Structures are given as C-alpha cells and as structure tokens.
C-alpha cells in the first residue's frame, strides 16, 4: 500500500450558505490523499499500473464545475464519491480549504475521509 498526495489543488465552485456567496464561484484549495496499492507501479515504472494523479485532479475539478452545494462537507462527499467510483483507490482523505471567508481568519477548512466498502 502507498499514498498519493495532491496538495493545493484549486477548484472553482459555487458554494456557501449566505446569499452573497451564491452570486459567484469561490476558489477552494484541496489537499487530497489517496491510499492505493502501488506495488505494480513500483516494479513496472508504467503509468498504467498506478493512479494517474492528473486524471484524479481533473475529476475533482469537474465535480466542482457541476456542483452548487451550500456546505464544504457536502462538496467533500461528492468529491470522495467521484474519486472512489472512478479510480482504484482503497481510501481517500480530502481537506477542503475555503480562504478569506471570515474577516478574522485566513481560512476555514474541513477534512473528510472514506474507505472503499
């Protein structure tokens, strides 16, 4: 088992509870950790034997483009579902950072994890 990390992935999406948040897209920053069996790739040096992190990032950006959630938690659930349905990963952890939303804090964030059933 190994881990693949994608850090600071920018995802544009419509998200927020307040009316003023619903008028334009917000840039979220995602840190994603994928647990996967990387043994074959370690020996083959073949991208077909691993999780293509560019495709994972593309999948997550697409989830952001089509979603209109109010809560980061709901958005995170959609991201985890899409990745688990599309890629052969054992588990995923997603940290979603929403910058500049509180006047006295640089960011707020949630971190969510799920394992493949």
């Amino acid at each position: 088992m190994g881990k693949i990390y994608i850090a600071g992935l920018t995802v544009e999406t419509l998200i927020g509870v307040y009316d003023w948040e619903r008028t334009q897209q917000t840039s979220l920053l995602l840190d994603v950790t994928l647990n996967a069996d990387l043994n074959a790739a370690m020996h083959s040096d073949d991208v077909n034997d691993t999780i293509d992190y560019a495709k994972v990032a593309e999948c997550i950006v697409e989830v952001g483009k089509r979603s209109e959630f109010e809560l980061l938690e709901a958005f995170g659930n959609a991201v985890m579902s899409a990745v688990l349905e599309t890629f052969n990963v054992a588990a995923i952890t997603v940290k979603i950072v929403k910058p500049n939303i509180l006047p006295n804090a640089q960011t707020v964030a949630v971190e969510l994890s799920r394992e493949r059933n």
Side-chain angles (χ1 to χ4, degrees):
M1 198 61 70
K3 294 186 179 193
I4 295 174
Y5 298 92
I6 301 172
L9 178 65
T10 301
V11 177
E12 300 291 329
T13 192
L14 184 65
I15 194 156
V17 174
Y18 303 107
D19 290 341
W20 59 269
E21 292 180 291
R22 310 299 296 170
T23 61
Q24 63 184 8
Q25 291 196 327
T26 298
S27 293
L28 302 177
L29 298 173
L30 278 67
D31 293 336
V32 181
T33 303
L34 306 171
N35 293 17
D37 183 353
L38 303 178
N39 193 46
M42 291 175 6
H43 296 288
S44 71
D45 193 30
D46 185 340
V47 71
N48 295 310
D49 290 333
T50 191
I51 308 299
D52 186 333
Y53 49 80
K55 289 182 180 176
V56 173
E58 183 179 292
C59 173
I60 294 170
V61 168
E62 283 302 313
V63 171
K65 285 181 182 177
R66 2 177 251 272
S67 53
E68 296 183 0
F69 293 106
E70 291 187 359
L71 300 179
L72 294 176
E73 294 85 345
F75 175 67
N77 183 54
V79 166
M80 291 186 300
S81 293
V83 172
L84 287 169
E85 290 170 9
T86 308
F87 301 94
N88 187 24
V89 298
I92 180 171
T93 299
V94 180
K95 179 179 176 185
I96 306 168
V97 177
K98 190 174 183 182
N100 304 315
I101 195 65
L102 295 177
N104 56 346
Q106 289 181 348
T107 64
V108 298
V110 298
E111 184 173 289
L112 308 163
S113 296
R114 187 183 310 159
E115 294 181 3
R116 180 176 299 284
N117 291 337

